[in-house]
Amino acid sequence: MTDPATPGPAGIADVRPAGSDSDVAGLGRGKASAFVTPALLLIAAFLVFPALWLLWIGLTDLTVSGRTSVDVSFVGLDNYANALDDPLFRNSLWITLLFVFGSAVIGQNFLGFTLAWSLRDAARWLRAVVESLVLLAWILPSSVVAVLWIAMLDRDAGTINQLLDNPGYAWMIRHPLAVIIVFNIWRGTAFSMLLYSAALSTVPPSHLETARLAGASGPQTLRDVVFPHVRAHVLTNTLLISLWTFNDFTPYLLTRGEPNHGSETLPIFLYRQGIDDGALGYGAAASVLMLLINLVLALFYLRLLRRRPK
Amino acid sequence: MNPRQIVARIGFYTFIAVLTGFFVLPMLWLASAPFDSNPGYAPRVPEKPTLQHFSALFENDLTMGSLWNSVVMSFSCMVLVVASAALAAYALSRVRIPGRDALLYLLLLLSSVVTGTAAMVPIFLMVWKLGLLDRQLGVVLVLSGGLLPAAIFILKDFMDAVPKSYEESARVFGAGPLRILREIVVPVARPGLATIAVWTVVNVWGTYLVPFLLLRDQEKQPAAVVVRTFYDEGGGALLGPISAFSLLYSIPVVLMYLFVNRRYGFRFHGGIKS
């Protein structure tokens, strides 16, 4: 997904001459449709169909094995009622809310903005070093970063306990939710940092200079000069990182949702119920709720994109 | 400098140092353990640097096979996504198919809503019913379907930017649409195609959930999944191989990132990863 705040391909598109869709290559509707077909077929089969099927499975008692794997019956909204009644489901919703709010809305947003703001006129090498490290945390594969964090937090010989001289302290068992929140801040701040550095470069230097001459303090400058320029980006960024964090399966690789469901976010709950336990119908009903939340976030995001001033 | 500025400076550098420490701390182990003959969980400068873990990996069929599986699946997805997205984006850019803008909007919405995580139950079920469970083709199709909408969306912008006059001249000389696409549009839109290609490879290379769900046979699993099973079975004793394998598996992603960054400016595609 392209980042709307930076002058990417979308920026190029804005300067194109009007009427780019005149059919210069002589495709005609027939050939054009043929060109579009392979992509649409793939999307229909592996994206649209699963989503629609999900709605149906959620209304049945389908399981992977046992009697109900063959003899499926329609149970209506029972799965939904059960989910809303299930303490484990409600627990995972709550955990997910804390996880998304703590790590994305607050954590990545603030840290990303702070990094972008404080590095904006730092020495070139310093900026390059810090940015590369933050980016590296973002681009390494998720199974690798999970291994790294497991090593770092190991109760007996991990780096953290050695630094704190605190052997035997099991971070993942004592503070599972805090661990995945801090982990996700570490993992995902790069995006916010990139987006905010691009946004900050649109603040006219003369405005900052005027604020400085008028004797404005740092926080005042941020509030009155910088914030009005980046407000739209804050919203875009928050929606995107919330959507990604909400759909992130990586915490499973760290804590597996343990102990005692203490870090079981909604994706992990789905996996446990739908795949591990094979309760496909019940898992599907929970998935529908997840899709609905995704839909709300994505609709807000796309609305913002459309309203973007040209 | 007055005292206040000096304090501010010190504060700034302390702050940056703490942040750098936060980001670098987990990575130190990846830099040290693969070269340590007997690594622990804490990073340290290896007393006797060694490459023994790497040579052991090269002889291990499971790890080498899983890296090869990652290559095969990334490459297949890349071909599938780039080819079908380029065709679709070109047609959508040049011909006003009724409802085109609504279609693009809907596709983009769909790909952000129907993520592999949210749709894992129906995806698993569908691949199972199609008899594609435990086959890499299933993973390739599912991942490509998920990546295509964003790929078409980004590529359409690149296609829109291709000057029409080139195509007009080619057409005057009697070139057909496929030939125009191959010989004019593709070379001109190459930065866009390369971006999508790298973006696809990076995504597939790192993805964990879909292959984890759909491939049970270890010999077919990509490195993303095998690196984990390696960990669970081995416990502490296998730290050397795990770290060496993690490093080996990460290098291509970092190289591709550097490549894109140098050639096309990564910054311009802030969201290239997702």
Side-chain angles (χ1 to χ4, degrees):
Chain A
M1 183 162 293
T2 346
D3 158 12
T6 46
I12 299 170
D14 291 343
V15 298
R16 71 189 185 225
S20 77
D21 46 3
S22 57
D23 185 10
V24 285
L27 282 177
R29 287 227 174 131
K31 279 203 183 102
S33 311
F35 277 19
V36 179
T37 305
L40 285 190
L41 276 183
L42 264 174
I43 294 171
F46 293 94
L47 208 60
V48 181
F49 179 70
L52 294 179
W53 204 19
L54 186 63
L55 297 175
W56 166 247
I57 307 165
L59 300 173
T60 69
D61 61 358
L62 181 67
T63 52
V64 166
S65 54
R67 185 188 58 79
T68 42
S69 67
V70 214
D71 180 20
V72 187
S73 39
F74 182 80
V75 295
L77 294 174
D78 281 9
N79 286 324
Y80 293 90
N82 291 344
L84 294 175
D85 235 10
D86 184 349
L88 278 183
F89 178 73
R90 285 196 304 227
N91 167 68
S92 78
L93 270 185
W94 177 239
I95 298 272
T96 311
L97 186 73
L98 294 177
F99 176 61
V100 173
F101 196 74
S103 72
V105 177
I106 301 291
Q108 294 181 7
N109 237 343
F110 268 80
L111 192 56
F113 184 83
T114 313
L115 277 166
W117 175 251
S118 51
L119 288 173
R120 77 194 183 287
D121 12 75
R124 237 187 127 123
W125 66 269
L126 185 67
R127 184 172 176 161
V129 168
V130 178
E131 283 191 348
S132 312
L133 285 170
V134 178
L135 272 172
L136 197 58
W138 189 47
I139 58 178
L140 286 175
S142 53
S143 6
V144 169
V145 295
V147 169
L148 297 184
W149 274 69
I150 290 171
M152 182 176 77
L153 293 175
D154 185 71
R155 60 192 297 171
D156 294 318
T159 319
I160 293 292
N161 282 348
Q162 290 210 344
L163 280 179
L164 299 176
D165 196 19
N166 190 16
Y169 194 83
W171 292 91
M172 301 228 200
I173 294 173
R174 300 281 190 91
H175 309 287
L177 185 58
V179 165
I180 60 170
I181 287 177
V182 175
F183 165 78
N184 195 47
I185 295 175
W186 178 86
R187 172 85 168 137
T189 294
F191 181 79
S192 306
M193 180 186 77
L194 286 179
L195 194 143
Y196 286 133
S197 3
L200 284 176
S201 65
T202 65
V203 180
S206 61
H207 291 197
L208 292 173
E209 185 62 13
T210 313
R212 199 180 61 84
L213 289 176
S217 68
Q220 278 171 341
T221 312
L222 277 179
R223 193 190 61 208
D224 297 333
V225 182
V226 177
F227 186 67
H229 278 278
V230 299
R231 188 166 41 199
H233 301 290
V234 174
L235 213 53
T236 317
N237 184 51
T238 308
L239 279 171
L240 265 186
I241 58 180
S242 302
L243 189 67
W244 291 338
T245 302
F246 181 57
N247 286 277
D248 187 17
F249 194 68
T250 320
Y252 177 81
L253 299 173
L254 275 182
T255 62
R256 299 191 181 267
E258 302 294 329
N260 194 24
H261 310 283
S263 57
E264 190 170 275
T265 56
L266 207 49
I268 303 178
F269 174 84
L270 279 188
Y271 175 75
R272 286 246 183 275
Q273 301 288 331
I275 312 288
D276 251 9
D277 295 351
L280 294 168
Y282 185 54
S287 302
V288 171
L289 292 167
M290 195 164 171
L291 284 177
L292 283 179
I293 300 175
N294 277 349
L295 185 67
V296 172
L297 287 172
L299 277 176
F300 266 114
Y301 170 68
L302 289 177
R303 239 186 123 166
L304 282 178
L305 269 191
R306 282 189 144 185
R307 234 190 274 151
R308 169 172 57 127
K310 292 272 173 182
Chain B
M1 253 196 247
N2 64 37
R4 219 185 115 200
Q5 280 173 318
I6 295 175
V7 171
R9 261 290 125 97
I10 294 175
F12 170 73
Y13 281 110
T14 318
F15 171 72
I16 292 293
V18 169
L19 274 185
T20 312
F22 173 58
F23 278 96
V24 88
L25 205 56
M27 294 177 205
L28 291 176
W29 189 74
L30 190 62
S32 70
F35 307 100
D36 197 319
S37 55
N38 184 24
Y41 276 113
R44 61 173 184 194
V45 179
E47 282 167 20
K48 277 182 279 176
T50 168
L51 291 176
Q52 68 183 63
H53 301 306
F54 291 98
S55 47
L57 278 185
F58 288 129
E59 282 161 25
N60 185 325
D61 286 345
L62 180 61
T63 54
M64 283 298 112
S66 72
L67 282 171
W68 176 243
N69 291 339
S70 295
V71 172
V72 169
M73 285 190 259
S74 312
F75 190 77
S76 315
C77 284
M78 183 192 86
V79 173
L80 202 57
V81 169
V82 171
S84 48
L87 282 172
Y90 180 64
L92 288 173
S93 162
R94 291 299 188 262
V95 180
R96 181 161 278 285
I97 295 171
R100 178 189 65 179
D101 292 340
L103 179 75
L104 276 170
Y105 179 82
L106 203 67
L107 285 183
L108 202 61
L109 181 67
L110 201 75
S111 69
S112 8
V113 173
V114 190
T115 59
T117 316
M120 66 172 109
V121 170
I123 285 174
F124 173 79
L125 197 59
M126 182 169 136
V127 169
W128 180 35
K129 299 276 182 198
L130 285 174
L132 290 174
L133 211 55
D134 236 347
R135 288 183 54 190
Q136 290 171 352
L137 178 64
V139 177
V140 168
L141 290 174
V142 168
L143 290 176
S144 301
L147 293 171
L148 263 175
I152 296 175
F153 204 79
I154 296 172
L155 270 183
K156 182 179 168 286
D157 277 346
F158 278 98
M159 297 291 184
D160 285 346
V162 173
K164 288 176 302 177
S165 52
Y166 294 3
E167 290 154 77
E168 276 157 0
S169 345
R171 210 176 151 202
V172 167
F173 288 103
L178 266 178
R179 184 144 178 237
I180 292 180
L181 184 65
R182 198 176 56 228
E183 287 175 17
I184 293 172
V185 178
V186 167
V188 176
R190 203 168 51 199
L193 296 172
T195 305
I196 295 301
V198 174
W199 173 77
T200 308
V201 170
V202 169
N203 261 298
V204 178
W205 187 266
T207 192
Y208 176 83
L209 180 61
V210 173
F212 171 66
L213 283 180
L214 303 181
L215 300 172
R216 294 296 148 104
D217 183 355
Q218 266 211 326
E219 285 180 7
K220 290 174 182 148
Q221 289 171 344
V225 179
V226 170
V227 111
R228 299 287 310 169
T229 51
F230 221 45
Y231 196 88
D232 291 339
E233 286 165 13
L238 285 171
L239 288 181
I242 292 165
S243 56
F245 189 28
S246 301
L247 187 60
L248 205 59
Y249 163 54
S250 309
I251 287 172
V253 180
V254 178
L255 289 182
M256 277 184 284
Y257 158 69
L258 289 174
F259 168 77
V260 173
N261 191 28
R262 175 141 306 185
R263 272 305 272 285
Y264 308 111
F266 186 74
R267 209 167 261 287
F268 290 92
H269 304 285
I272 193 173
K273 180 162 155 280
S274 299

